[in-house]
Amino acid sequence: MAEKSARKTVEVTAHDLPLHCPTPNAPLWNQHPRVFLDVVHTGEVTCPYCSTHYVFKGEAPKGH
């Protein structure tokens, strides 16, 4: 039986920057070392630890 990759996708806005994973509302059992992710440059990024996929929505903040 083949398992599907259950990759979680999270939409983020300028309010969520600077983006880091895990996010503050992540459950304690799902914690890993904090890593800062640059989602503004390409519009999306994947966490190297947990494979959560972040997608930037909205207007980029000034200076980015």
Side-chain angles (χ1 to χ4, degrees):
M1 169 159 77
E3 284 188 35
K4 290 183 187 177
S5 174
R7 186 167 83 167
K8 181 179 175 183
T9 299
V10 178
E11 291 185 358
V12 295
T13 63
H15 180 269
D16 301 309
L17 299 178
L19 176 64
H20 59 82
C21 189
T23 56
N25 58 352
L28 186 59
W29 64 268
N30 197 25
Q31 298 291 314
H32 56 69
R34 181 180 290 181
V35 59
F36 286 88
L37 305 167
D38 183 9
V39 70
V40 177
H41 184 70
T42 61
E44 59 184 84
V45 67
T46 301
C47 175
Y49 286 100
C50 66
S51 298
T52 299
H53 184 72
Y54 294 95
V55 178
F56 186 77
K57 297 291 182 183
E59 192 172 319
K62 294 182 182 186
H64 285 271

Coordinates of all heavy atoms in Angstrom, one line a residue:
M1 N 0.8 -1.2 0.0 CA 0.0 0.0 0.0 C 0.9 1.2 0.0 O 1.8 1.4 0.8 CB -0.9 0.0 1.2 CG -1.6 1.3 1.4 SD -3.1 1.2 2.5 CE -2.5 1.1 4.1
A2 N 0.7 2.1 -0.9 CA 1.5 3.3 -1.0 C 0.8 4.4 -0.2 O -0.4 4.6 -0.2 CB 1.5 3.8 -2.5
E3 N 1.7 5.1 0.6 CA 1.2 6.2 1.4 C 1.4 7.5 0.6 O 2.4 7.8 -0.1 CB 2.1 6.3 2.7 CG 1.7 5.3 3.7 CD 2.4 5.5 5.0 OE1 2.6 6.7 5.4 OE2 2.7 4.6 5.7
K4 N 0.4 8.4 0.8 CA 0.5 9.7 0.2 C 1.3 10.6 1.1 O 1.3 10.5 2.3 CB -0.9 10.4 0.1 CG -1.8 9.7 -1.0 CD -3.1 10.5 -1.1 CE -4.0 9.8 -2.0 NZ -5.3 10.4 -2.1
S5 N 2.0 11.5 0.5 CA 2.8 12.5 1.3 C 1.8 13.6 1.8 O 1.3 14.3 0.9 CB 3.9 13.1 0.5 OG 4.5 14.2 1.2
A6 N 1.6 13.7 3.0 CA 0.6 14.6 3.6 C 1.4 15.9 3.9 O 1.7 16.1 5.1 CB -0.1 14.1 4.8
R7 N 1.7 16.7 3.0 CA 2.4 18.0 3.2 C 1.4 19.1 3.5 O 0.5 19.3 2.8 CB 3.2 18.3 1.9 CG 4.1 19.5 2.1 CD 5.0 19.6 1.0 NE 4.4 20.3 -0.1 CZ 5.1 20.8 -1.2 NH1 6.4 20.6 -1.3 NH2 4.4 21.4 -2.1
K8 N 1.6 19.7 4.7 CA 0.7 20.7 5.1 C 1.1 22.0 4.4 O 2.3 22.4 4.3 CB 0.9 20.9 6.6 CG 0.0 21.9 7.3 CD 0.3 22.0 8.8 CE -0.5 23.1 9.4 NZ -0.2 23.2 10.8
T9 N 0.1 22.8 3.9 CA 0.3 24.1 3.3 C -0.3 25.2 4.2 O -1.4 25.0 4.6 CB -0.3 24.1 1.9 OG1 0.3 23.1 1.1 CG2 -0.1 25.4 1.2
V10 N 0.5 26.2 4.4 CA 0.1 27.3 5.3 C 0.2 28.6 4.5 O 1.3 28.9 3.9 CB 0.9 27.4 6.5 CG1 0.5 28.6 7.4 CG2 0.8 26.1 7.3
E11 N -0.8 29.4 4.4 CA -0.8 30.7 3.8 C -0.3 31.7 4.8 O -0.8 31.8 5.9 CB -2.1 31.1 3.2 CG -2.6 30.3 2.0 CD -3.9 30.7 1.4 OE1 -4.5 31.7 1.9 OE2 -4.3 30.1 0.4
V12 N 0.6 32.6 4.4 CA 1.2 33.6 5.3 C 1.0 35.0 4.6 O 1.0 35.1 3.4 CB 2.6 33.3 5.7 CG1 2.7 32.1 6.5 CG2 3.5 33.3 4.5
T13 N 1.0 36.0 5.4 CA 0.9 37.4 4.9 C 2.0 38.2 5.5 O 2.8 37.7 6.3 CB -0.5 38.0 5.4 OG1 -0.5 38.1 6.8 CG2 -1.7 37.2 4.9
A14 N 2.1 39.5 5.2 CA 3.1 40.3 5.7 C 3.1 40.4 7.2 O 4.1 40.6 7.8 CB 3.0 41.7 5.1
H15 N 1.9 40.2 7.8 CA 1.8 40.3 9.2 C 2.6 39.1 9.9 O 3.0 39.3 11.0 CB 0.3 40.2 9.6 CG 0.1 40.2 11.1 ND1 0.0 39.1 11.9 CD2 -0.1 41.3 11.9 CE1 -0.2 39.4 13.1 NE2 -0.3 40.7 13.2
D16 N 2.8 38.0 9.2 CA 3.5 36.9 9.8 C 5.0 36.9 9.6 O 5.7 36.0 10.1 CB 3.0 35.6 9.1 CG 1.5 35.4 9.2 OD1 1.0 35.5 10.4 OD2 0.8 35.2 8.2
L17 N 5.5 38.0 9.0 CA 7.0 38.1 8.8 C 7.7 38.7 10.0 O 7.1 39.5 10.7 CB 7.2 38.9 7.6 CG 6.6 38.3 6.3 CD1 6.9 39.3 5.1 CD2 7.2 37.0 6.0
P18 N 8.9 38.3 10.3 CA 9.7 37.3 9.7 C 9.1 35.9 10.0 O 8.7 35.6 11.1 CB 11.1 37.5 10.3 CG 10.8 38.1 11.6 CD 9.6 39.0 11.5
L19 N 9.1 35.1 8.9 CA 8.5 33.8 9.0 C 9.5 32.8 9.6 O 10.7 32.8 9.2 CB 8.1 33.3 7.7 CG 7.5 31.9 7.6 CD1 6.2 31.7 8.4 CD2 7.3 31.5 6.1
H20 N 9.1 32.0 10.6 CA 9.9 31.0 11.1 C 9.0 29.7 11.4 O 7.8 29.8 11.5 CB 10.6 31.4 12.4 CG 9.7 31.8 13.5 ND1 9.1 30.9 14.3 CD2 9.3 33.0 13.9 CE1 8.4 31.5 15.2 NE2 8.5 32.8 15.0
C21 N 9.7 28.6 11.3 CA 9.0 27.3 11.5 C 9.7 26.6 12.7 O 11.0 26.6 12.6 CB 9.0 26.5 10.3 SG 8.0 25.0 10.4
P22 N 9.1 26.1 13.6 CA 7.6 26.0 13.8 C 7.1 27.3 14.2 O 7.7 28.1 14.8 CB 7.5 24.9 14.9 CG 8.7 25.0 15.7 CD 9.8 25.4 14.7
T23 N 5.8 27.5 13.8 CA 5.1 28.7 14.2 C 4.7 28.7 15.7 O 4.7 27.6 16.3 CB 3.9 28.9 13.3 OG1 3.0 27.8 13.4 CG2 4.2 29.1 11.8
P24 N 4.4 29.8 16.3 CA 4.0 29.9 17.7 C 2.8 29.0 18.0 O 2.7 28.5 19.2 CB 3.7 31.3 17.9 CG 4.5 32.1 16.9 CD 4.5 31.2 15.7
N25 N 1.9 28.8 17.1 CA 0.7 28.0 17.4 C 0.9 26.5 17.1 O 0.0 25.7 17.2 CB -0.5 28.5 16.7 CG -0.3 28.5 15.2 OD1 0.8 28.3 14.7 ND2 -1.3 28.9 14.5
A26 N 2.1 26.0 16.8 CA 2.4 24.6 16.5 C 2.3 23.8 17.8 O 2.7 24.3 18.9 CB 3.8 24.4 15.9
P27 N 1.7 22.6 17.7 CA 1.6 21.8 19.0 C 3.0 21.4 19.5 O 3.9 21.3 18.7 CB 0.8 20.6 18.5 CG 0.8 20.6 17.0 CD 1.1 22.0 16.6
L28 N 3.1 21.2 20.7 CA 4.4 20.9 21.4 C 5.0 19.6 20.8 O 6.2 19.6 20.6 CB 4.2 20.8 22.9 CG 5.5 20.6 23.7 CD1 6.4 21.8 23.5 CD2 5.2 20.5 25.2
W29 N 4.2 18.6 20.5 CA 4.8 17.4 20.0 C 5.4 17.5 18.6 O 6.2 16.7 18.1 CB 3.7 16.3 20.0 CG 2.6 16.6 19.0 CD1 1.4 17.2 19.3 CD2 2.5 16.3 17.6 NE1 0.6 17.3 18.2 CE2 1.3 16.8 17.1 CE3 3.4 15.7 16.7 CZ2 0.9 16.6 15.8 CZ3 3.0 15.6 15.4 CH2 1.8 16.0 15.0
N30 N 5.1 18.6 17.9 CA 5.5 18.8 16.6 C 6.6 19.9 16.5 O 6.9 20.4 15.4 CB 4.3 19.3 15.7 CG 4.6 19.2 14.2 OD1 5.4 18.3 13.8 ND2 3.9 19.9 13.4
Q31 N 7.4 20.1 17.6 CA 8.4 21.1 17.6 C 9.7 20.6 17.0 O 10.0 19.4 17.1 CB 8.7 21.6 19.0 CG 7.5 22.2 19.7 CD 7.1 23.6 19.1 OE1 8.0 24.4 18.9 NE2 5.9 23.8 18.8
H32 N 10.5 21.5 16.4 CA 11.8 21.2 15.9 C 12.6 22.4 16.1 O 12.1 23.5 16.4 CB 11.8 20.6 14.5 CG 11.1 21.6 13.5 ND1 11.6 22.8 13.1 CD2 9.9 21.5 12.8 CE1 10.8 23.4 12.2 NE2 9.8 22.6 12.0
P33 N 13.9 22.4 15.8 CA 14.7 23.7 15.9 C 14.1 24.8 15.1 O 13.7 24.5 13.9 CB 16.1 23.3 15.4 CG 16.2 21.8 15.7 CD 14.8 21.3 15.5
R34 N 14.1 26.0 15.6 CA 13.5 27.1 14.8 C 14.4 27.4 13.6 O 15.6 27.6 13.8 CB 13.4 28.3 15.7 CG 12.7 29.5 15.0 CD 12.6 30.7 15.8 NE 11.6 30.5 16.8 CZ 11.2 31.4 17.7 NH1 11.8 32.5 17.8 NH2 10.2 31.1 18.5
V35 N 13.7 27.6 12.5 CA 14.4 28.0 11.3 C 13.7 29.1 10.6 O 12.5 29.1 10.5 CB 14.6 26.8 10.3 CG1 13.3 26.2 9.9 CG2 15.4 27.1 9.1
F36 N 14.4 30.2 10.3 CA 13.8 31.3 9.6 C 13.7 31.1 8.1 O 14.7 30.6 7.5 CB 14.5 32.6 9.9 CG 14.2 33.1 11.3 CD1 15.0 32.6 12.4 CD2 13.2 34.0 11.6 CE1 14.7 33.1 13.7 CE2 12.9 34.4 12.9 CZ 13.7 33.9 13.9
L37 N 12.6 31.3 7.5 CA 12.4 31.0 6.1 C 12.1 32.3 5.3 O 11.3 33.1 5.7 CB 11.2 30.0 6.0 CG 11.4 28.8 6.8 CD1 10.0 28.0 6.8 CD2 12.4 27.9 6.2
D38 N 12.7 32.4 4.1 CA 12.4 33.6 3.2 C 11.3 33.2 2.2 O 11.6 32.6 1.2 CB 13.7 33.9 2.5 CG 13.6 35.2 1.6 OD1 12.5 35.8 1.7 OD2 14.5 35.5 0.9
V39 N 10.1 33.6 2.6 CA 9.0 33.3 1.7 C 8.7 34.4 0.7 O 8.0 34.1 -0.3 CB 7.7 32.9 2.6 CG1 7.2 34.2 3.3 CG2 6.7 32.3 1.8
V40 N 9.2 35.6 1.0 CA 8.8 36.7 0.1 C 9.6 36.6 -1.2 O 9.0 37.0 -2.3 CB 9.2 38.0 0.8 CG1 8.9 39.2 -0.1 CG2 8.3 38.2 2.1
H41 N 10.8 36.2 -1.2 CA 11.6 36.1 -2.4 C 11.0 35.3 -3.6 O 11.0 35.8 -4.7 CB 13.0 35.6 -2.1 CG 14.0 35.6 -3.2 ND1 14.5 36.7 -3.7 CD2 14.5 34.6 -3.9 CE1 15.3 36.4 -4.7 NE2 15.3 35.1 -4.9
T42 N 10.5 34.1 -3.3 CA 9.9 33.3 -4.3 C 8.4 33.1 -4.2 O 7.8 32.6 -5.1 CB 10.6 31.9 -4.3 OG1 10.3 31.3 -3.0 CG2 12.1 31.9 -4.5
G43 N 7.8 33.6 -3.1 CA 6.4 33.4 -2.9 C 6.0 32.1 -2.2 O 4.9 32.0 -1.8
E44 N 7.0 31.2 -2.1 CA 6.7 30.0 -1.4 C 8.0 29.4 -0.9 O 9.1 29.6 -1.4 CB 5.9 29.0 -2.2 CG 6.6 28.6 -3.5 CD 5.8 27.7 -4.4 OE1 5.0 28.2 -5.1 OE2 6.0 26.4 -4.3
V45 N 7.9 28.6 0.2 CA 9.1 27.9 0.7 C 8.6 26.7 1.5 O 7.5 26.7 2.0 CB 9.9 28.9 1.6 CG1 9.1 29.3 2.9 CG2 11.3 28.4 2.0
T46 N 9.5 25.7 1.6 CA 9.2 24.5 2.4 C 10.2 24.4 3.5 O 11.4 24.5 3.3 CB 9.3 23.3 1.5 OG1 8.4 23.4 0.4 CG2 9.0 22.0 2.2
C47 N 9.7 24.0 4.7 CA 10.5 23.9 5.9 C 11.4 22.6 5.7 O 10.9 21.5 5.4 CB 9.7 23.7 7.1 SG 10.7 23.4 8.6
P48 N 12.7 22.7 5.9 CA 13.6 21.6 5.7 C 13.4 20.5 6.8 O 13.8 19.4 6.6 CB 15.0 22.2 5.8 CG 14.9 23.4 6.5 CD 13.5 23.9 6.2
Y49 N 12.8 20.9 7.9 CA 12.6 19.9 9.0 C 11.3 19.1 8.9 O 11.3 17.9 9.0 CB 12.6 20.6 10.4 CG 14.0 21.0 10.8 CD1 14.4 22.3 10.7 CD2 14.9 20.1 11.4 CE1 15.7 22.7 11.1 CE2 16.1 20.5 11.8 CZ 16.5 21.8 11.7 OH 17.8 22.2 12.1
C50 N 10.2 19.8 8.7 CA 8.9 19.1 8.8 C 8.1 19.1 7.5 O 7.0 18.6 7.4 CB 8.0 19.8 9.9 SG 7.6 21.5 9.5
S51 N 8.7 19.7 6.4 CA 8.1 19.8 5.1 C 6.8 20.6 5.0 O 6.1 20.4 4.0 CB 7.9 18.4 4.6 OG 9.1 17.7 4.4
T52 N 6.6 21.4 6.0 CA 5.4 22.3 5.9 C 5.7 23.3 4.7 O 6.8 23.9 4.7 CB 5.2 23.1 7.2 OG1 4.9 22.1 8.2 CG2 4.0 24.0 7.1
H53 N 4.7 23.5 3.9 CA 4.8 24.3 2.7 C 4.2 25.7 3.0 O 3.0 25.7 3.3 CB 4.2 23.7 1.5 CG 4.4 24.4 0.2 ND1 5.6 24.5 -0.4 CD2 3.5 25.1 -0.5 CE1 5.4 25.2 -1.5 NE2 4.2 25.6 -1.6
Y54 N 4.9 26.8 2.9 CA 4.4 28.1 3.2 C 4.2 28.8 1.9 O 5.1 28.8 1.1 CB 5.3 28.9 4.1 CG 5.4 28.3 5.5 CD1 6.4 27.4 5.8 CD2 4.5 28.6 6.5 CE1 6.5 26.8 7.1 CE2 4.6 28.1 7.8 CZ 5.6 27.2 8.1 OH 5.7 26.6 9.3
V55 N 3.1 29.5 1.7 CA 2.8 30.3 0.5 C 2.4 31.7 1.0 O 1.6 31.9 1.8 CB 1.6 29.7 -0.3 CG1 1.2 30.5 -1.5 CG2 1.9 28.2 -0.7
F56 N 3.1 32.7 0.3 CA 2.9 34.1 0.7 C 1.7 34.6 -0.1 O 1.7 34.5 -1.3 CB 4.2 34.9 0.4 CG 4.1 36.3 0.9 CD1 4.2 36.6 2.2 CD2 3.8 37.3 0.0 CE1 4.1 37.9 2.6 CE2 3.7 38.6 0.4 CZ 3.9 38.9 1.7
K57 N 0.8 35.2 0.6 CA -0.4 35.9 -0.1 C -0.4 37.3 0.3 O 0.0 37.7 1.4 CB -1.7 35.2 0.4 CG -1.8 33.8 0.1 CD -2.0 33.6 -1.4 CE -2.2 32.1 -1.7 NZ -2.3 31.9 -3.1
G58 N -0.8 38.1 -0.7 CA -0.9 39.6 -0.4 C 0.3 40.3 -0.9 O 1.1 39.8 -1.7
E59 N 0.3 41.6 -0.5 CA 1.4 42.5 -1.0 C 2.6 42.4 -0.1 O 2.5 42.3 1.1 CB 0.8 43.9 -0.9 CG 1.7 44.9 -1.6 CD 1.0 46.3 -1.7 OE1 -0.2 46.3 -1.9 OE2 1.7 47.3 -1.5
A60 N 3.8 42.4 -0.7 CA 5.0 42.3 0.0 C 5.2 43.6 0.8 O 4.9 44.7 0.3 CB 6.2 42.1 -0.9
P61 N 5.8 43.5 2.0 CA 6.0 44.7 2.7 C 7.1 45.6 2.1 O 8.0 45.0 1.4 CB 6.5 44.2 4.1 CG 6.9 42.8 3.9 CD 6.1 42.3 2.7
K62 N 7.1 46.8 2.3 CA 8.2 47.7 1.8 C 9.5 47.4 2.3 O 9.7 47.0 3.4 CB 7.8 49.2 2.1 CG 6.6 49.7 1.4 CD 6.3 51.1 1.7 CE 5.0 51.4 1.1 NZ 4.6 52.8 1.1
G63 N 10.5 47.4 1.4 CA 11.9 47.0 1.8 C 12.2 45.6 1.5 O 13.3 45.2 1.8
H64 N 11.3 44.8 1.0 CA 11.5 43.4 0.7 C 11.6 43.2 -0.8 O 10.9 43.7 -1.5 CB 10.5 42.5 1.4 CG 10.7 42.4 2.8 ND1 11.4 41.4 3.4 CD2 10.2 43.2 3.9 CE1 11.4 41.6 4.7 NE2 10.7 42.6 5.0

